[in-house]
């Protein structure tokens, strides 16, 4: 019985905590904290993509070195990120957003590399051969055949990275980088359940929102229309 | 209807069980109290430990000392005071190393409610006396407190300590950025204490925790001038940090003290054995031992043994 009562009341408290206007104002107000975490996450995602996409696209294109790249980048997943941040922060980088962004970049690279590589590598070899046969350069094959056909998986990688980065960016609060993680940290320290649950709720909601946004982008930007994809499969080959 | 009858049946059963437990407890108490004042020979002592480095070390030292005095011992790790304190009352755990003021306030709140007036102070003997006043009706007893104290403290760089002074009262009138826990503005020993006791104004609080690497980094980068740490933190010196002395006694007397439970409160052998440690253990000793375990990955039992041997207690 009690095990049910406690979380329910914590949820209720969180709702009234979120309803308190004073929590939406000032330096540690929800809007500023949300802006901070989005900025950190966006920066980290852009940098991670800038590093991971070219490497993975090229490796996928030449069809070699993928396993190695995936394994190397997966180190980013294996490192305990909090420990990494402490090490970086104690070093010359110092406290603040830089440490957080760098750690998040390392965390965001693996899903992008894995999905992009698998996506490009998985493009039908016959299609690629046909494109080559038509006289397309390597660059054209990559850009006009492989990337469009691998688009869904590439986007999946970016989406996974974005959600992981956003959720992990909460740790920034422990390094003076701000963000919604502050509510979790502060709530935990003050034993303020309502604040803690509110923070967790806001981060989860934001992550879902980002996930939805990527889903939408994926559909809008897909160079190979959904119908074509479906058609392509059902049309018997001659 | 049916549910109601079930409920009353359960209640009745619970009452019987409780009664039986109470009776069992009483007879148990009589038995242990009878030979309570005897020597240590053969008696088994369960030492409780809250499970973190410093308390693990204390428990290991108690174990070595008590075994030397002829007890057989075992260590039981119970993380929370909320759990080990009742276990002490019941005799499931017989002695536990604890912090005097924290334990006193725990019993105070337990007896007088969350808004109880604090009973502890910055004086260790006074605090232990207050602790014992609350402990006695529960069948618990605190032995002698050690010199060693694990308190909150404020650290600064040696440069800032030289500039502003080695005592917090020297910092009177200073405006500082403070690296501490987020709840610091609410806690009397923290931001309000700095203001009211020492006249130090905190212009900005960096929420970086208690004695974390981040707190120390903020100090060494001069992003903060004061940082909240523990008195038994032995890593400060190597980072060029020093504790600014709490010369007006803002912090409470969280000296390490053995709290003994049911069956052992009148055991003079145990009291004599553990009080020997209280006579020698200093804050710096404890800090060095903490460092050996946390920083050098030595085993608490080995560190405890080496220390006791160096003091001629083993």
């Amino acid at each position: 019985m009690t095990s049910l009562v406690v979380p329910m009341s914590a949820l209720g408290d969180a709702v009234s905590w979120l309803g308190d206007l004073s929590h939406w104002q000032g330096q540690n107000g929800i809007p500023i904290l949300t802006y901070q975490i989005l900025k950190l996450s966006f920066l980290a995602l852009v940098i991670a993509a800038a590093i991971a996409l070219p490497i993975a696209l090229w490796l996928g294109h030449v069809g070699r070195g993928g396993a190695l790249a995936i394994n190397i980048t997966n180190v980013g997943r294996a490192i305990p990120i909090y420990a990494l941040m402490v090490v970086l922060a104690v070093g010359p980088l110092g406290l603040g957003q830089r440490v957080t962004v760098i750690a998040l970049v390392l965390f965001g690279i693996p899903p992008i590399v894995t999905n992009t590589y698998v996506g490009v590598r998985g493009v039908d070899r016959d299609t690629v051969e046909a494109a080559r046969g038509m006289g397309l350069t390597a660059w054209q094959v990559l850009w006009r055949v492989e990337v469009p056909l691998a688009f869904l998986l590439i986007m999946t990688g970016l989406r996974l990275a974005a959600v992981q980065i956003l959720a992990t960016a909460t740790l920034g609060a422990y390094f003076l980088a701000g963000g919604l993680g502050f509510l979790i940290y502060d709530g935990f320290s003050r034993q303020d359940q309502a604040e803690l649950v509110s923070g967790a709720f806001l981060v989860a909601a934001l992550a879902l929102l980002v996930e939805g946004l990527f889903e939408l982008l994926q559909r809008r930007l897909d160079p190979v229309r959904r119908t074509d994809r479906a058609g392509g499969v059902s049309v018997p080959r001659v | 209807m049916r549910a109601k009858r079930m409920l009353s049946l359960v209640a009745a059963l619970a009452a019987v069980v409780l009664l039986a437990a109470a009776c069992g407890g009483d007879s148990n108490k009589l038995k242990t109290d009878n030979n309570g004042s005897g020597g240590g020979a053969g008696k088994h002592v369960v030492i409780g430990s809250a499970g973190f480095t410093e308390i693990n070390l204390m428990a290991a030292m108690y174990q070595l000392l008590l075994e030397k005095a002829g007890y057989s011992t075992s260590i039981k790790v119970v993380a929370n005071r909320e759990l080990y304190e009742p276990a002490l009352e019941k005799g499931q755990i017989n002695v536990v190393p604890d912090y005097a003021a924290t334990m006193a306030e725990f019993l105070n709140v337990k007896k007088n409610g969350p808004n109880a007036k604090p009973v502890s102070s910055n004086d260790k003997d006074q605090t232990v006396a207050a602790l014992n006043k609350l402990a006695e009706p529960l069948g618990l007893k605190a032995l002698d407190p050690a010199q060693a104290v694990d308190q909150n403290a404020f650290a600064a760089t040696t440069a800032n300590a030289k500039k502003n002074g080695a005592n917090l009262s020297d910092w009177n009138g200073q405006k500082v950025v403070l690296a501490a826990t987020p709840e610091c503005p609410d806690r009397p020993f923290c931001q309000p204490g700095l203001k009211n006791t020492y006249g130090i104004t905190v212009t900005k609080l960096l929420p970086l925790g208690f004695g974390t690497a981040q707190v120390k980094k903020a100090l060494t980068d001069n992003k903060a001038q004061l940082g909240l740490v523990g008195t038994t933190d032995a890593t400060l010196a190597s980072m060029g940090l020093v504790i600014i002395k709490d010369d007006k006694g803002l912090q409470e007397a969280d000296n390490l003290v053995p709290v003994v439970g049911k069956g052992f409160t009148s055991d003079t052998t145990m009291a004599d054995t553990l009080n020997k440690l209280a006579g020698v253990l200093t804050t710096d000793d404890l800090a060095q031992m903490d460092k050996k375990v946390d920083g050098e990955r030595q085993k608490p039992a080995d560190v405890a043994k080496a220390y006791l041997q160096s003091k001629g207690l083993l």
Side-chain angles (χ1 to χ4, degrees):
Chain A
M1 200 57 189
T2 44
S3 62
L4 263 176
V5 172
V6 173
M8 286 308 285
S9 75
L11 272 186
D13 290 348
V15 170
S16 50
W17 194 94
L18 287 170
D20 186 338
L21 275 183
S22 69
H23 296 143
W24 292 80
Q25 292 156 358
Q27 203 52 45
N28 290 325
I30 293 166
I32 288 189
L33 295 177
T34 306
Y35 166 74
Q36 285 169 336
I37 199 172
L38 284 176
K39 188 176 138 195
L40 284 173
S41 306
F42 181 74
L43 257 174
L45 183 66
V46 168
I47 298 171
I51 296 170
L53 279 178
I55 296 173
L57 285 174
W58 184 249
L59 291 177
H61 175 75
V62 298
R64 258 183 281 125
L68 189 67
I70 288 170
N71 278 311
I72 289 175
T73 53
N74 267 334
V75 170
R77 275 203 261 233
I79 296 173
I81 194 160
Y82 183 79
L84 175 72
M85 289 168 86
V86 170
V87 170
L88 290 175
V90 170
L93 280 172
L95 298 159
Q97 303 198 338
R98 255 189 306 177
V99 165
T100 314
V101 170
I102 289 173
L104 292 176
V105 166
L106 287 178
F107 210 58
I109 287 175
I112 304 179
V113 167
T114 307
N115 283 281
T116 306
Y117 175 80
V118 170
V120 174
R121 192 77 193 90
V123 171
D124 186 7
R125 286 295 103 186
D126 291 346
T127 316
V128 175
E129 286 306 314
R132 285 220 181 97
M134 287 167 69
L136 267 62
T137 64
W139 180 254
Q140 285 172 321
V141 170
L142 177 67
W143 201 241
R144 296 173 59 179
V145 179
E146 288 171 331
V147 168
L149 287 173
F151 184 78
L152 285 185
L153 265 177
I154 295 173
M155 283 302 281
T156 302
L158 288 172
R159 178 166 51 98
L160 286 174
V163 173
Q164 274 187 17
I165 285 174
L166 186 76
T168 312
T170 47
L171 288 176
Y174 290 81
F175 298 86
L176 296 185
L180 286 170
F182 177 78
L183 299 179
I184 299 173
Y185 179 27
D186 195 56
F188 187 74
S189 302
R190 291 174 193 264
Q191 293 168 314
D192 185 341
Q193 285 263 348
E195 184 182 11
L196 194 161
V197 175
S198 297
F201 171 79
L202 287 170
V203 173
L206 208 58
L208 286 177
L209 205 71
V210 167
E211 170 111 19
L213 202 72
F214 267 86
E215 201 77 53
L216 204 72
L217 271 178
Q218 188 169 318
R219 268 186 222 175
R220 277 290 169 84
L221 298 180
D222 188 356
V224 185
R225 293 263 172 262
R226 287 169 68 82
T227 47
D228 289 351
R229 271 181 202 282
V233 173
S234 61
V235 172
R237 289 172 192 232
V238 187
Chain B
M1 253 343 250
R2 221 190 130 98
K4 220 172 182 181
R5 265 177 44 201
M6 272 303 275
L7 200 68
S8 54
L9 188 66
V10 167
L13 266 174
V16 170
V17 169
L18 275 176
L19 201 67
C23 291
D26 274 345
S27 59
N28 221 352
K29 186 180 170 195
L30 279 175
K31 229 184 337 187
T32 40
D33 269 359
N34 278 345
N35 53 15
S37 53
K43 260 170 89 180
H44 189 76
V45 180
V46 180
I47 303 162
S49 166
F52 53 91
T53 300
E54 194 162 282
I55 292 297
N56 283 342
L57 278 165
M58 293 303 296
M61 286 192 280
Y62 290 2
Q63 180 167 44
L64 289 163
L65 290 170
L66 289 172
E67 292 203 334
K68 187 180 174 247
Y71 295 90
S72 70
T73 61
S74 58
I75 290 182
K76 208 180 237 178
V77 175
V78 184
N80 296 318
R81 201 168 278 106
E82 286 79 359
L83 296 175
Y84 66 67
E85 189 276 329
L88 276 173
E89 290 181 35
K90 290 192 194 106
Q92 294 160 329
I93 290 175
N94 307 120
V95 59
V96 61
D98 213 324
Y99 300 105
T102 306
M103 185 58 159
E105 293 311 329
F106 174 81
L107 294 180
N108 186 26
V109 167
K110 188 175 166 172
K111 184 178 170 225
N112 302 320
N115 297 320
K117 199 168 158 279
V119 294
S120 52
S121 68
N122 56 23
D123 182 282
K124 73 174 161 56
D125 297 317
Q126 219 176 322
T127 301
V128 170
L131 165 58
N132 267 329
K133 216 166 129 192
L134 288 157
E136 201 181 2
L138 301 171
L140 310 180
K141 188 180 171 193
L143 303 178
D144 290 356
Q147 281 300 328
V149 57
D150 186 351
Q151 283 171 318
N152 298 298
F154 296 98
T157 57
T158 42
N160 276 334
K162 204 172 270 175
K163 197 175 79 185
N164 296 331
N167 295 317
L168 277 174
S169 56
D170 300 334
W171 288 56
N172 187 6
Q174 295 283 341
K175 289 184 167 54
V176 300
V177 176
L178 175 67
T181 51
E183 77 273 19
C184 178
D186 307 339
R187 299 287 154 92
F189 68 81
C190 206
Q191 192 172 329
L194 281 179
K195 176 81 197 155
N196 300 331
T197 307
Y198 290 110
I200 300 170
T201 310
V202 175
T203 53
K204 194 175 171 203
L205 180 89
L206 306 181
L208 290 174
F210 176 83
T212 55
Q214 293 96 302
V215 166
K216 293 165 195 166
K217 178 66 177 172
L219 289 172
T220 52
D221 285 357
N222 209 23
K223 281 188 178 171
Q225 287 72 52
L226 288 178
L228 183 62
V229 299
T231 48
T232 56
D233 188 334
T235 64
L236 295 174
S238 65
M239 302 188 72
L241 301 176
V242 61
I243 286 174
I244 307 296
K245 209 165 164 249
D246 178 25
D247 54 322
K248 287 190 184 168
L250 170 62
Q251 308 299 339
E252 290 182 334
D254 265 323
N255 295 64
L256 284 147
V257 66
V259 180
V260 297
K262 197 176 103 179
F264 287 86
T265 50
S266 48
D267 185 333
T268 49
T269 313
M270 180 184 262
D272 291 345
T273 307
L274 297 181
N275 285 348
K276 265 186 249 162
L277 176 62
V280 297
L281 186 70
T282 66
T283 306
D284 193 49
D285 291 345
L286 196 54
Q288 295 305 330
M289 282 193 271
D290 282 342
K291 191 181 170 192
K292 282 184 183 138
V293 175
D294 287 337
E296 300 165 18
R297 298 272 160 238
Q298 296 189 38
K299 287 193 184 124
D302 297 342
V303 176
K305 194 170 175 187
Y307 174 77
L308 293 175
Q309 279 168 344
S310 77
K311 294 289 169 190
L313 291 174
L314 270 192

